[in-house]
C-alpha cells in the first residue's frame, strides 16, 4: 500500500512489521502535453526531463551528484538507470536506485530533483510523478504527484534523510528554475 504525499509531508521508511529499507528506487514519470498545431490539430512534442540525486553531508555541503552525465555516485551506492529524452512510455521514465546501507556515513541527505533540460516549463508536462519503491519487494512506498504546472522549469521533488537508525522521506515539491541540477543548488539549500 502506497502513501500519497503532499508538499512538506514526511514518511518514515521503516518497513511495515519492522526492519529498515535497504534498497530503494526513486522513479520519475511524465508525459509531454500535446500542443495545438496548425488548424487546431494536436501535435506531439518531446520534453527532456532529467532526474538527479544530490548527496549532502551534515554541513549541507554537496559531496556528489548522480545525473545524466554521471550515472553512478563515486561510492557506487546511487545509480541512475539512464536518460529518457522524451518521456515516452508507461511507468517510470527515469529511475535512480539507492543502496541505503552502502551510502557513506557522512552523507545525511539525498535530495531528488527534476529539471527540464530542453527548457520547456511545467505547463507543458502532464501526468508527472515521483515515487519511492522498496526494491527488495517491488512495493511502492510513497508517491508524489508533481501537479500544478506553471512557468517553472524544475522542481525540488523530495529528500531522503537519515532519521535515527533508519531513513525518512519528505515531499518537497517546490518549483524552481534551471536546466541542470547545478542551477538548482541555491533553491535546494533552503530545504537541507
Amino acid at each position: 500500500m502506497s502513501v500519497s504525499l503532499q508538499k512538506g509531508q514526511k514518511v518514515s521508511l521503516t518497513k511495515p512489521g519492522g526492519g529498515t529499507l535497504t534498497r530503494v528506487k526513486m522513479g520519475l514519470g511524465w508525459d509531454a502535453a500535446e500542443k495545438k498545431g496548425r488548424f487546431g490539430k494536436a501535435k506531439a512534442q518531446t520534453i527532456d526531463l532529467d532526474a538527479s540525486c544530490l548527496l549532502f553531508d551534515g554541513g549541507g555541503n554537496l559531496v556528489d551528484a548522480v545525473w545524466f552525465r554521471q550515472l553512478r555516485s563515486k561510492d557506487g551506492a546511487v545509480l541512475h538507470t539512464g536518460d529518457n529524452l522524451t518521456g515516452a512510455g508507461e511507468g517510470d521514465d527515469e529511475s535512480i536506485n539507492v543502496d541505503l546501507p552502502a551510502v557513506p556515513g557522512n552523507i545525511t541527505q539525498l535530495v531528488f530533483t527534476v529539471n527540464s533540460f530542453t527548457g520547456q516549463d511545467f505547463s507543458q508536462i502532464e501526468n508527472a510523478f515521483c515515487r519511492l519503491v522498496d526494491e527488495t519487494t517491488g512495493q511502492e512506498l510513497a508517491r508524489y504527484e508533481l501537479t500544478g504546472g506553471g512557468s517553472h522549469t524544475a522542481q525540488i521533488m523530495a529528500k531522503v534523510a537519515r532519521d535515527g537508525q533508519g531513513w525518512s522521506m519528505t515531499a518537497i515539491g517546490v518549483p524552481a528554475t534551471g536546466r541542470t541540477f547545478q542551477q538548482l543548488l541555491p533553491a535546494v539549500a533552503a530545504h537541507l
Side-chain angles (χ1 to χ4, degrees):
M1 186 169 122
S2 174
V3 174
S4 185
L5 297 177
Q6 303 298 317
K7 284 183 186 180
Q9 187 177 359
K10 182 177 174 179
V11 62
S12 171
L13 298 183
T14 301
K15 284 186 172 188
T20 58
L21 291 174
T22 56
R23 301 184 70 80
V24 295
K25 173 178 82 170
M26 178 66 74
L28 168 66
W30 76 93
D31 294 316
E34 288 189 340
K35 212 173 187 178
K36 295 283 184 193
R38 288 187 170 195
F39 310 111
K41 282 190 161 187
K43 179 181 171 185
Q45 62 176 333
T46 58
I47 295 178
D48 180 10
L49 291 188
D50 290 317
S52 301
C53 179
L54 312 177
L55 292 78
F56 291 93
D57 66 15
N61 301 304
L62 181 65
V63 175
D64 202 356
V66 174
W67 59 310
F68 73 90
R69 289 192 179 147
Q70 180 181 315
L71 297 178
R72 181 182 298 271
S73 60
K74 294 170 190 152
D75 55 49
V78 183
L79 174 68
H80 193 303
T81 59
D83 192 15
N84 181 319
L85 302 176
T86 65
E90 296 297 315
D92 298 336
D93 295 313
E94 291 193 12
S95 298
I96 298 176
N97 297 311
V98 182
D99 182 356
L100 291 170
V103 173
N106 68 315
I107 302 299
T108 60
Q109 298 180 82
L110 308 171
V111 178
F112 294 89
T113 64
V114 59
N115 52 274
S116 173
F117 185 73
T118 46
Q120 291 105 323
D121 64 42
F122 274 45
S123 69
Q124 298 175 58
I125 300 165
E126 295 178 339
N127 307 317
F129 65 88
C130 71
R131 67 191 194 114
L132 195 69
V133 177
D134 179 345
E135 278 292 90
T136 59
T137 65
Q139 179 184 5
E140 183 175 282
L141 302 170
R143 174 178 286 262
Y144 180 58
E145 301 295 332
L146 300 171
T147 57
S151 60
H152 55 284
T153 59
Q155 189 141 5
I156 304 164
M157 298 188 310
K159 73 176 174 181
V160 173
R162 290 190 192 271
D163 190 6
Q165 297 299 313
W167 296 82
S168 64
M169 176 185 172
T170 303
I172 299 173
V174 173
T177 301
R179 293 180 57 226
T180 63
F181 82 84
Q182 293 96 331
Q183 296 169 339
L184 303 179
L185 288 175
V188 169
H191 300 283
L192 298 176

